[in-house]
Each structure stands twice: as C-alpha cells, then as structure tokens.
Amino acid sequence: MKTINMRGVTFGEGRMKIICPVTAPTVEAALETIELAKRLHVDAVEYRADRSVNAHDTDKLMCDLRRVRDCLGNRPLMFTFRSVPEGGHAELLQNDYIALVRAAISSGCADMIDIEHRIADAAAKELIDHARASGVISIYSYHNFNETPDAGRLCDFIAHARRLGADIPKCAVMARDRGDLLTLLAATERMTRGEDDTPVLTVAMGTDGVLSRLAGEFFGSCMTFCTVNASSAPGQIDCERAYAAVSALHECIKA
C-alpha cells in the first residue's frame, strides 16, 4: 500500500494513527481541547467546523481555523464540515459548502480536508484537484448511520473515490452486529492488499464495530478517531486507551 506523509506522520504505514475530533462550539473551548490533546498520544486533530457557533460564517470560521492551526503546532490538522445528512450538526447549500471547503484548502491552515461524497462528482473532483495543487490531503467521505452496505458497494465507493483522485477514501458505517463488522473489514482488506493501493480510512460505528477502531491496521485502515473529552460518533474510544491497544496490536504484528 502507498503511504502519505504529512508533518512527519506517515499514514498507511505502521500502527493506525490516532486522530482526535475537536467538537467544541467556540474556538476558545476548541483550543482548550487541543492543549489537552497535545499532552496525549494524539497524532492529528480534526476540527469539526459544523459544530462551531460560526458554522455559517466562513470569514469567522477561517479566523478560528487559523487560531486552531497556531495552537496545534506541528501536528497534522484535518478540516471537516459534516452536513446533517452525513451525521453532522449544521447544513449548508451545496454551493456554500463547496465555497467553504475551497476556502479551508486555500487558507494554508489545513493539512487534510474532508470532502463529502454527496456533492456532485465534478465539484468533488475540482476540490480534490485544488487540494492536491495546494499540498492538502483530500479525504473523500461516506457515512451511513443506519446500516452497513454489502462489501461490493463499499469497495465500489473506495474505487470511485480513487478514480476521482482522492488521497484517502473514508467509509464510516453502522455495525448492527458482528457480521457487519466483518463486512467492513473484508472490504477494507480487499481494497488495500496491492502495493499501488492508496490508504483508506474505514470504521464500523457502534458497540459491535469497536474492533475496527483498534485493529484496523490488520486490514488496511490508516487512522482511528478517538475522543479526548467529547465523542463525535458512536463507539469512539478514549485516546489513551486506544493508543495503548493499537500500539500493543502493532507490536504483535511486528513480532
């Protein structure tokens, strides 16, 4: 599998990287969370702009993003505006969403950018291309809080994301039972077994999907979302507990 390096963190190699979502409504509270995360085993931070009180004001959001970037230091930063249909807390018209994501890419603050699959392919491709030209990692994401599609559909999504040029396809689905967990893991392994395959980020949400957040390295997932003081999705685990488990599993693989 190919690897991606950002600020000294290599995605797609070694243990799964720990990424902490910051979901605070104010930038002051976000900075407090980041200061805590910096003292823990956190490899990267996700700034969830849809949770911000400035979610509908791009200029203020970009000012907040700059403060987040300055506070975070040399750790990778992901910018995400998660829409309501994808499990988020705010909604924008498609053109406004595209403009916001473009602004975040152009800001020079974000190392990674989340691009939701729900927008038209042409718009997604334009944002992915703009991210690549700006040195920003593009994460093309799909979320399903109701079910886990069959492995064929998950593989088709990952293949489609790669055709669009996305650096990291992301699939987050709801595991209703352990069979759903196995479906996600099987699709992940199938799409990352080749040397030329790009890294993927997959997660089975909910109690039955917790193993995907810890053992993803075995199957090809490059990151896991973990909580510091507030979760952003069902089944997220405390950062330090996750780091201990992921690191122990990685040592077992090496052995």
Side-chain angles (χ1 to χ4, degrees):
M1 184 168 57
K2 293 180 179 177
T3 61
I4 296 173
N5 187 281
M6 180 58 68
R7 295 183 182 268
V9 178
T10 302
F11 300 97
E13 180 179 271
R15 65 165 175 81
M16 282 202 302
K17 303 308 183 285
I18 307 292
I19 183 164
C20 167
V22 175
T23 59
T26 66
V27 69
E28 290 78 15
L31 299 182
E32 291 179 4
T33 300
I34 291 169
E35 289 293 352
L36 176 58
K38 286 162 60 177
R39 298 194 293 270
L40 304 175
H41 291 98
V42 171
D43 297 297
V45 162
E46 178 191 38
Y47 181 56
R48 282 286 301 270
D50 58 293
R51 299 273 193 139
S52 169
V53 294
N54 294 323
H56 295 93
D57 189 323
T58 296
D59 289 341
K60 289 183 179 179
L61 265 183
M62 292 304 101
C63 290
D64 292 345
L65 183 60
R66 168 54 62 188
R67 293 182 65 185
V68 167
R69 169 76 275 160
D70 290 344
C71 178
L72 186 57
N74 199 38
R75 284 184 175 88
L77 174 61
M78 180 190 301
F79 178 88
T80 299
F81 185 98
R82 183 68 64 233
S83 64
V84 172
E86 294 287 306
H89 286 250
E91 194 61 76
L92 291 173
L93 295 175
Q94 178 162 300
N95 286 343
D96 293 333
Y97 170 84
I98 293 169
L100 173 61
V101 172
R102 173 171 269 278
I105 293 170
S106 300
S107 70
C109 298
D111 301 300
M112 298 178 278
I113 193 80
D114 185 285
I115 300 170
E116 293 184 340
H117 79 103
R118 66 188 181 90
I119 64 174
D121 281 357
K125 176 81 168 108
E126 188 275 331
L127 290 173
I128 289 168
D129 290 346
H130 179 46
R132 176 164 289 109
S134 304
V136 175
I137 296 170
S138 58
I139 299 174
Y140 186 70
S141 63
Y142 164 74
H143 297 77
N144 189 325
F145 283 78
N146 298 315
E147 61 180 357
T148 298
D150 63 53
R153 286 174 59 195
L154 293 174
C155 291
D156 286 346
F157 171 80
I158 292 171
H160 180 64
R162 287 171 172 166
R163 285 193 296 271
L164 289 175
D167 294 307
I168 301 177
K170 176 189 177 186
C171 294
V173 297
M174 182 59 70
R176 299 163 297 182
D177 54 37
R178 285 171 289 181
D180 284 344
L181 168 66
L182 293 175
T183 295
L184 177 84
L185 296 177
T188 304
E189 191 278 332
R190 186 187 309 174
M191 298 305 289
T192 57
R193 61 176 59 153
E195 290 184 5
D196 293 330
D197 291 331
T198 60
V200 302
L201 198 176
T202 62
V203 59
M205 297 180 287
T207 302
D208 286 315
V210 166
L211 186 62
S212 70
R213 297 183 182 275
L214 301 175
E217 180 188 344
F218 283 92
F219 302 93
S221 185
C222 67
M223 275 186 273
T224 184
F225 289 84
C226 303
T227 180
V228 169
N229 55 15
S231 65
S232 62
Q236 281 184 2
I237 303 167
D238 172 79
C239 282
E240 292 301 273
R241 293 176 63 197
Y243 173 78
V246 166
S247 297
L249 286 169
H250 176 65
E251 291 303 314
C252 290
I253 294 174
K254 287 170 58 180

